[in-house]
Amino acid sequence: LWGYDFDSTMVRLGLMNLMMHGIDEPHIDYKDTLSKTFNQPNQYDIVMANPPFTGSIDKGDINETLSLTTTKTELLFVETIYNLLKKGGTAGVIVPQGVLFGSGKAFVAARQILVDRCDLKAVVTMPSGVFKPYAGVSTAVLIFTKVYDKEDKVTEPATEHVWFYDMASDGYSLDDKRNKLEGYGDLQDIVEKFKKRN
């Protein structure tokens, strides 16, 4: 577990949560993964992340191994997660939908990493309100597998087909109260259809 802008209270809560769920010796690294001091390329088989987004970082603090010319954390995290994966490693990452549709050069470059260097398997869009009361922004889950390393020459884009799902409900109300609704929303349908996609 790693992130950007963690504080020591979050680390302690994370440790306690893992222990309560049967992980007797949890390991949490307290690091800023976008900073110059962080460098762990090709280390992980699986990355699951809900990184902080719609923020920006000081240009002078950004890790120099990142190629995207932006201070937007949502884009820098996409590249960081790509870098962290081993070849054949898979990530499930929550991003603001702007990552999918932004027209700026850095947005286009981030999508090129996902489509050309990775096999972008799925995009599950989520309605705004899923993260209320903390954020009302529309988000999406990206599921991708790293095919080409940074140094590899891309002979043809790694992504051939992308499975899309437009989630209407996650099983909770989309207002600030986030009350449990009857049923599970679209979650079980998403898992079932993802497994059966062709």
Side-chain angles (χ1 to χ4, degrees):
L1 178 65
W2 37 261
Y4 161 76
D5 202 22
F6 266 156
D7 65 24
S8 59
T9 304
M10 290 176 74
V11 171
R12 286 195 301 275
L13 285 170
L15 286 167
M16 185 60 69
N17 193 344
L18 290 169
M19 287 189 284
M20 289 174 61
H21 286 89
I23 299 172
D24 296 327
E25 295 181 32
H27 177 81
I28 295 181
D29 285 337
Y30 181 37
K31 297 178 181 177
D32 178 351
T33 55
L34 299 181
S35 75
K36 291 181 177 186
T37 60
F38 184 83
N39 192 23
Q40 293 185 3
N42 309 315
Q43 296 275 324
Y44 300 95
D45 295 308
I46 297 172
V47 173
M48 295 185 343
N50 181 6
F53 43 73
T54 64
S56 61
I57 186 172
D58 226 358
K59 216 173 200 171
D61 295 335
I62 298 172
N63 188 313
E64 289 145 357
T65 64
L66 298 174
S67 63
L68 295 177
T69 53
T70 183
T71 58
K72 293 187 176 300
T73 57
E74 63 266 33
L75 300 177
L76 295 171
F77 273 116
V78 167
E79 184 177 3
T80 298
I81 291 164
Y82 160 77
N83 288 343
L84 287 168
L85 288 171
K86 294 177 183 176
K87 263 190 187 180
T90 297
V93 183
I94 297 171
V95 296
Q97 285 191 27
V99 170
L100 305 175
F101 307 113
S103 59
K105 285 183 183 179
F107 286 93
V108 172
R111 288 193 298 270
Q112 278 186 298
I113 290 171
L114 291 169
V115 172
D116 291 352
R117 298 194 160 273
C118 300
D119 179 8
L120 180 58
K121 296 177 182 301
V123 175
V124 178
T125 60
M126 297 187 285
S128 61
V130 167
F131 291 104
K132 279 190 172 182
Y134 311 106
V137 66
S138 296
T139 53
V141 180
L142 306 179
I143 300 171
F144 58 92
T145 298
K146 184 175 186 174
V147 175
Y148 295 103
D149 276 326
K150 235 177 164 173
E151 302 78 27
D152 293 340
K153 184 178 181 197
V154 176
T155 54
E156 60 184 63
T159 302
E160 290 184 33
H161 304 284
V162 182
W163 182 78
F164 288 89
Y165 192 106
D166 187 17
M167 177 198 292
S169 171
D170 67 343
Y172 293 85
S173 65
L174 296 173
D175 56 16
D176 285 350
K177 293 184 181 175
R178 297 288 285 147
N179 294 319
K180 177 80 176 103
L181 303 173
E182 198 172 308
Y184 297 97
D186 295 331
L187 299 179
Q188 290 178 336
D189 189 51
I190 292 168
V191 171
E192 185 181 322
K193 287 184 176 163
F194 178 76
K195 287 178 179 175
K196 292 179 179 174
R197 75 196 190 285
N198 65 30

